[in-house]
Amino acid sequence: MKKEIIGVLIIIMILNITVLTSCWNYVEINDKRIVSGAAVDYDEKNDKIILTVETVTNRLGKETERTKQEIFYSEGSTIFEAIRNIIEKSGQKLFWSHAKVMVLSKSLLKNKNKFLGVIDFMDRDVELRDNIWLFVSRNKEAREILEANLQLDKIVAYHLEDMMENKKSVSKFHAVPLWEFVDKLAIKGISPVLPLVSKITYNNRDVVEVFGTVVFKKLESVGFLNGIETKSFLLVINELKGGTLVIQEDKLFDKPIKIAMEIFDNKTKITPVYSDEKLTMNIDVKTKVNINEIGAKIDLTDEKKIKRLQEKGEQVIKNDIQNVIKKVQKEYRSDIFGFGTIIERKFPKQWKKIRDKWDEYFLNLNIKVNVDLSIKGTALRLKSIDVED
């Protein structure tokens, strides 16, 4: 009996070793093309999704491993059909698990059903990661972005991913992964946005630039924010951690002088106040900067002059925030700031009463902005460069 039990255990152990130490769905990486990024256009005349895919293949050379970029095109009535049709041209099934970016065209955004189909596929498909970065092409066609001939044979998708990871230094776009866009579509009280990307020519070579924001109301793109407006938007939602602030000062100099400051820290707190059946959103902004450039002679050891520059900076930030909120309220009528979700957390009972009429409430919502700017440093100099007259 003991021998039979031991025999059975040995068989089970052998089976476990065989199953657990092998990959049942293992595929040699050379049997697939790795997708680094994709672009989706829409042909309205023929009612077709036009898919552009950037793929990378690794090839071992004599000394190092070299990465090769290839672009493939296909079309279909849906994005899934377009993906399957691309196999006819690539000769291999595409490997989507390493895809970094998806660029969408304005023509696609105009057709809500096609746009929803693309987003639904991306969110539903098991291969695509939910942290893939989304963009809207400023160029006529989204494929133009992936076709950019970047210096040093860079992979366009990887270049865009690097830009998203280093967004702190620019602060003129809001990096949006797929999961965030999908979540905001499903939540009442906040609307999604996407960054704008464009291919431009600079010094006779292609450059990919991410600058500005597309404003959505549900699935409809209703407007755009430029770089300055986007920076103010990031300030409001507490997503701005760097960038520059430029002010123009005239009282401390003989003529108006521009002063550049570097933002190295920012904290924004939004507090809803409910009084006399009226809602007010208090936005308190605390920003820390260093002075990095002054185009005139000034002694920055003088506290009165520092205070003057602080006040000027506070006014600039306050005006910019008020302007972008007013624009979004009156022109786009889309709560990209998430005021509704903040009210729901703080005043759930009141939110239930106004939830279905939030668009109307948002349009007339009273907003107060307070800015506290601190100049913490002057880089390596306390005084301007002394130039002999």
Side-chain angles (χ1 to χ4, degrees):
M1 185 68 179
K2 289 183 178 180
K3 290 183 179 181
E4 292 178 357
I5 294 174
I6 293 173
V8 172
L9 290 175
I10 291 173
I11 293 173
I12 292 174
M13 289 174 64
I14 293 172
L15 289 173
N16 283 339
I17 291 172
T18 304
V19 174
L20 297 178
T21 58
S22 62
C23 297
W24 65 271
N25 63 343
Y26 173 78
V27 178
E28 181 65 41
I29 196 67
N30 288 332
D31 293 338
K32 287 190 176 183
R33 291 188 181 274
I34 301 173
V35 177
S36 57
V40 184
D41 292 287
Y42 175 60
D43 181 357
E44 183 179 5
K45 183 179 179 180
N46 298 303
D47 190 28
K48 292 288 186 179
I49 291 290
I50 310 299
L51 178 66
T52 305
V53 174
E54 180 187 50
T55 67
V56 293
T57 52
N58 294 326
R59 291 290 182 266
L60 291 174
K62 292 183 179 180
E63 297 179 356
T64 59
E65 186 178 43
R66 290 178 288 183
T67 302
K68 180 183 177 182
Q69 176 211 48
E70 287 188 87
I71 301 289
F72 294 94
Y73 306 90
S74 72
E75 64 178 42
S77 57
T78 67
I79 187 172
F80 181 70
E81 184 180 28
I83 288 173
R84 287 305 171 94
N85 289 342
I86 219 165
I87 300 176
E88 300 173 5
K89 301 176 178 64
S90 66
Q92 295 170 303
K93 188 177 180 181
L94 303 180
F95 188 65
W96 285 87
S97 296
H98 292 290
K100 305 298 182 183
V101 305
M102 179 73 77
V103 184
L104 311 172
S105 69
K106 293 178 183 178
S107 60
L108 176 69
L109 267 54
K110 290 179 181 178
N111 190 306
K112 292 182 182 179
N113 292 333
K114 294 295 183 180
F115 180 33
L116 178 60
V118 171
I119 297 298
D120 179 77
F121 168 79
M122 294 176 66
D123 189 50
R124 187 185 300 272
D125 191 78
V126 294
E127 282 193 40
L128 276 165
R129 296 181 180 181
D130 64 358
N131 62 350
I132 186 172
W133 301 108
L134 297 181
F135 301 85
V136 174
S137 173
R138 193 186 292 270
N139 298 80
K140 183 178 181 180
E141 296 178 320
R143 65 177 179 83
E144 296 178 51
I145 305 301
L146 296 183
E147 292 172 343
N149 184 19
L150 301 182
Q151 199 174 31
L152 301 176
D153 296 324
K154 285 186 177 179
I155 306 300
V156 177
Y158 295 166
H159 178 62
L160 284 171
E161 182 190 33
D162 289 342
M163 294 175 72
M164 296 302 98
E165 297 296 339
N166 293 288
K167 61 182 178 179
K168 177 180 177 180
S169 301
V170 182
S171 297
K172 291 186 180 179
F173 59 82
H174 181 42
V176 180
L178 172 64
W179 66 263
E180 180 181 319
F181 186 80
V182 172
D183 282 358
K184 288 183 178 180
L185 282 176
I187 299 174
K188 185 73 173 179
I190 189 169
S191 296
V193 299
L194 286 178
L196 275 164
V197 60
S198 59
K199 184 185 77 171
I200 60 175
T201 301
Y202 180 75
N203 286 342
N204 297 321
R205 65 183 180 89
D206 289 345
V207 174
V208 174
E209 179 184 54
V210 184
F211 184 88
T213 302
V214 182
V215 176
F216 288 85
K217 189 170 184 179
K218 296 182 180 179
L219 268 178
E220 182 182 2
S221 61
V222 293
F224 305 91
L225 303 179
N226 61 32
I228 300 299
E229 292 168 337
T230 297
K231 184 188 295 184
S232 299
F233 162 63
L234 293 174
L235 272 168
V236 174
I237 65 173
N238 198 32
E239 287 289 337
L240 187 138
K241 306 301 178 185
T244 60
L245 171 66
V246 179
I247 65 173
Q248 183 168 290
E249 174 56 33
D250 50 5
K251 291 186 177 180
L252 297 178
F253 308 99
D254 295 334
K255 60 180 180 180
I257 296 295
K258 288 187 177 180
I259 300 171
M261 303 178 183
E262 180 184 12
I263 300 171
F264 65 88
D265 188 39
N266 179 81
K267 288 183 175 61
T268 300
K269 183 178 181 181
I270 302 177
T271 307
V273 177
Y274 190 78
S275 179
D276 297 327
E277 297 186 354
K278 291 183 179 180
L279 273 170
T280 300
M281 303 300 291
N282 289 334
I283 302 176
D284 295 299
V285 180
K286 291 187 176 182
T287 306
K288 297 178 182 179
V289 300
N290 282 328
I291 295 177
N292 274 49
E293 180 183 343
I294 302 177
K297 189 174 181 179
I298 184 174
D299 183 3
L300 295 177
T301 61
D302 189 329
E303 292 184 4
K304 291 183 179 180
K305 293 178 180 178
I306 288 291
K307 185 177 181 181
R308 168 64 187 173
L309 296 181
Q310 286 178 337
E311 292 173 349
K312 189 73 175 182
E314 288 171 351
Q315 192 60 51
V316 169
I317 293 175
K318 183 176 181 179
N319 289 342
D320 287 346
I321 289 177
Q322 289 175 331
N323 288 338
V324 74
I325 291 177
K326 183 178 179 180
K327 180 176 183 176
V328 173
Q329 274 185 304
K330 304 302 180 182
E331 294 184 31
Y332 304 151
R333 302 189 178 193
S334 176
D335 183 9
I336 61 175
F337 309 103
F339 292 150
T341 58
I342 295 172
I343 293 170
E344 182 182 17
R345 288 195 299 267
K346 186 69 180 292
F347 302 112
K349 292 183 179 180
Q350 285 76 12
W351 173 249
K352 288 182 180 179
K353 296 178 182 179
I354 65 175
R355 183 183 186 279
D356 295 334
K357 297 180 180 179
W358 177 238
D359 289 347
E360 180 183 340
Y361 274 88
F362 174 72
L363 178 63
N364 301 294
L365 186 63
N366 185 38
I367 297 169
K368 294 182 179 179
V369 181
N370 302 298
V371 180
D372 180 11
L373 179 71
S374 301
I375 298 177
K376 294 298 184 180
T378 57
L380 297 178
R381 302 184 64 90
L382 288 173
K383 296 183 179 181
S384 301
I385 296 175
D386 192 10
V387 180
E388 184 178 355
D389 295 332

